[in-house]
Amino acid sequence: MSHFITEDQAALRDAAAVFARKEVEPLAARIDREERTPPELSAKVAEQGFFGLFIPEAYGGLGADLTSTCLVLEEIAKASPSFAGLLSVEMILCPLVLLAVGNEEQKRRLLPKTASGERLMAYSQTEPSGAGNIEFHQTRLTADGNAFRLNGAKLFCTQGEARTYLVMCRTERDSQKGYGCVIVEQEAAGFEVAPYEHKLGWRGTNTGPIAFTDIVITPENVVGDLLTGNQDFFMIANQASFLGHAVTSLGCAVGMFDKTLAYVKERSLYGEPMHRLSPVSDRLGTVWNKIEAMRALLYTSTRLYDDGRRDLLLGSTCKAWICETAFECCNTLLQMWGGSGIMDSTGVNRYFRDARAKMIAEGATEMHTSIIAKQVLGLV
Ligand SMILES: Cc1cc2nc3c(=O)[nH]c(=O)nc-3n(C[C@H](O)[C@H](O)[C@H](O)COP(=O)(O)OP(=O)(O)OC[C@H]3O[C@@H](n4cnc5c(N)ncnc54)[C@H](O)[C@@H]3O)c2cc1C
């Protein structure tokens, strides 16, 4: 698919592929088994400058576009979809929230530290009442003199080594009500990180509940104008982050395809190479078609984004369709491994599990398809 991308983007993708093979692939099984990313791997990502790839140069990053950033994430996802998923939150979603609505001081204070990997950020929206419907959210920011107080609880926050949290909350001052975002440092009095839960897939990300009891939020940690109820920043940040999430599902399917291709060429069944069995080659062809279709949609969408088109519908379409299709691919591929695919020792069932988890994280498929349906029907 080199016809989609520039020479510079191809060079960056190739460098990421070398990095993924050398540094990520050898740790992928351990990341899945131990349910955390080894800090030495994050240090190597920082050395490459990948944490700051999508952050503008003015704030300490490399200023790459979304297409380049997704090419890097696809290569890393081929080796470890779980680690790539964590990176997409740190590299795209969190910086974008600040870039979209943060003020100059906040960008200068936080983005260089994220770009260098010194202090990574997490994004926290989901609550026990659900992720998408913010009208039901209970986490509240209330005015207290010249500052604010934050109270509430969140679920499923993907944290990795993050120490700075971007927390979505309802807001109240006098009779004004709104919804917005505040910056909360993990060291703040009243901040609690609960033990993370073991999970089926996307295991390298220590995802878990966090809670806030009467945390003092000073005005410099309020992102944007909380009280206008203006949620444009969700659209700006979410569109790119849905693409960043979708590309890790695409990389997941490609990584499993590559491993399966090598396997069916090597294995002989009933005295002949397994890939000569027509159900096997037919399925490989079908999966490859789907991979090419996912790539075409994904990179067309990132290019439109890079050209300035803001389209949440396209972001939701990519997130829903690519995550579903990548899982279908991994499901089909797993079948070709027979019993060996179920065993951990072959290292392929983690792709299947990661692809499954990605259908729910960053909004379940149905949430996205209901957004799409409402737009198509003209109901919003
Ligand atoms: C591994 C992982 C990492 C995550 N990381 C983060 C994170 O870093 N930050 C964060 O804020 N959240 C995070 N999440 C939360 C994630 O965004 C939510 O799990 C997801 O959006 C679904 O919300 P829910 O779990 O509350 O399910 P529910 O809202 O209870 O939904 C259950 C089911 O109902 C259906 N449904 C839900 N909404 C709709 C709708 N609008 N229309 C039609 N059907 C619907 C879907 O089938 C859905 O699966 C993560 C989740 C996972 C699994």
Side-chain angles (χ1 to χ4, degrees):
M1 59 132 233
S2 50
H3 54 282
F4 276 134
I5 58 178
T6 65
E7 278 180 23
D8 284 351
Q9 287 170 333
L12 180 66
R13 178 201 57 195
D14 295 345
V18 171
F19 176 80
R21 269 198 305 276
K22 190 165 161 249
E23 308 291 357
V24 183
E25 179 85 45
L27 293 174
R30 183 176 147 200
I31 291 171
D32 183 59
R33 192 175 54 249
E34 294 181 1
E35 301 192 48
R36 62 190 280 273
T37 298
E40 62 268 24
L41 182 56
S42 301
K44 286 178 181 158
V45 170
E47 250 170 52
Q48 296 291 313
F50 288 158
F51 283 126
L53 194 58
F54 193 54
I55 294 177
E57 289 178 46
Y59 304 114
L62 296 178
D65 56 18
L66 186 62
T67 302
S68 307
T69 308
C70 285
L71 286 166
V72 168
L73 284 171
E74 182 186 337
E75 292 305 321
I76 293 176
K78 284 189 209 173
S80 170
S82 180
F83 182 53
L86 174 62
L87 287 182
S88 87
V89 173
E90 289 162 343
M91 288 165 62
I92 300 179
L93 175 57
C94 294
L96 257 184
V97 171
L98 286 183
L99 288 167
V101 275
N103 62 33
E104 197 54 28
E105 184 277 325
Q106 289 164 342
K107 292 178 202 170
R108 293 201 179 279
R109 173 160 45 107
L110 296 172
L111 291 176
K113 288 185 188 160
T114 297
S116 66
E118 180 192 335
R119 202 169 169 92
L120 296 167
M121 293 188 279
Y123 175 91
S124 184
Q125 176 173 333
T126 308
E127 300 207 357
S129 62
N133 201 339
I134 58 178
E135 277 170 37
F136 294 93
H137 283 186
Q138 299 294 318
T139 299
R140 275 193 158 60
L141 190 77
T142 43
D144 183 12
N146 290 331
F148 298 87
R149 296 267 173 182
L150 182 69
N151 283 285
K154 297 281 182 183
L155 283 183
F156 310 137
C157 181
T158 294
Q159 296 161 76
E161 290 164 54
R163 297 290 172 270
T164 299
Y165 293 71
L166 301 176
V167 177
M168 305 299 130
C169 54
R170 303 192 68 78
T171 61
E172 284 171 24
R173 184 159 60 194
D174 304 327
S175 57
Q176 268 187 297
K177 291 190 178 183
Y179 193 85
C181 171
V182 291
I183 299 161
V184 186
E185 304 296 351
Q186 203 183 73
E187 298 81 4
F191 189 104
E192 191 189 341
V193 179
Y196 63 87
E197 287 185 51
H198 303 293
K199 52 191 185 309
L200 171 86
W202 200 6
R203 287 155 63 94
T205 56
N206 56 327
T207 298
I210 54 177
F212 327 102
T213 308
D214 249 356
I215 298 187
V216 177
I217 304 287
T218 49
E220 66 267 22
N221 286 321
V222 171
V223 183
D225 182 0
L226 281 178
L227 296 170
T228 60
N230 182 342
Q231 290 162 20
D232 286 354
F233 72 94
F234 280 131
M235 179 169 152
I236 299 165
N238 280 342
Q239 183 197 348
S241 96
F242 293 159
L243 300 180
H245 186 87
V247 80
T248 68
S249 279
L250 165 62
C252 181
V254 179
M256 189 160 176
F257 180 86
D258 290 347
K259 285 189 163 51
T260 308
L261 192 62
Y263 177 72
V264 300
K265 279 181 170 172
E266 190 190 287
R267 176 159 163 73
S268 79
L269 256 186
Y270 320 123
E272 61 172 329
M274 189 179 164
H275 66 275
R276 295 250 175 89
L277 292 172
S278 62
V280 172
S281 55
D282 287 354
R283 281 180 173 190
L284 278 176
T286 305
V287 169
W288 184 250
N289 284 345
K290 289 181 180 174
I291 286 174
E292 283 294 279
M294 285 191 278
R295 274 205 176 115
L297 175 62
L298 194 278
Y299 289 106
T300 302
S301 304
T302 61
R303 274 168 51 155
L304 287 170
Y305 183 91
D306 290 334
D307 288 345
R309 181 163 154 199
R310 296 295 172 260
D311 186 341
L312 186 59
L313 194 58
L314 196 53
S316 273
T317 302
C318 281
K319 199 295 171 182
W321 187 75
I322 292 176
C323 292
E324 290 279 328
T325 308
F327 176 70
E328 282 169 21
C329 292
C330 291
N331 195 19
T332 303
L333 293 167
L334 190 76
Q335 190 72 10
M336 293 186 204
W337 289 76
S340 303
I342 305 302
M343 302 299 144
D344 286 350
S345 55
T346 49
V348 285
N349 70 35
R350 68 184 164 82
Y351 286 90
F352 170 84
R353 290 184 281 104
D354 283 352
R356 187 66 188 84
K358 284 167 190 287
M359 286 161 62
I360 290 180
E362 291 242 9
T365 302
E366 294 79 4
M367 194 196 88
H368 288 283
T369 47
S370 79
I371 293 173
I372 295 164
K374 277 184 195 148
Q375 297 243 3
V376 170
L377 292 165
L379 300 177
V380 284

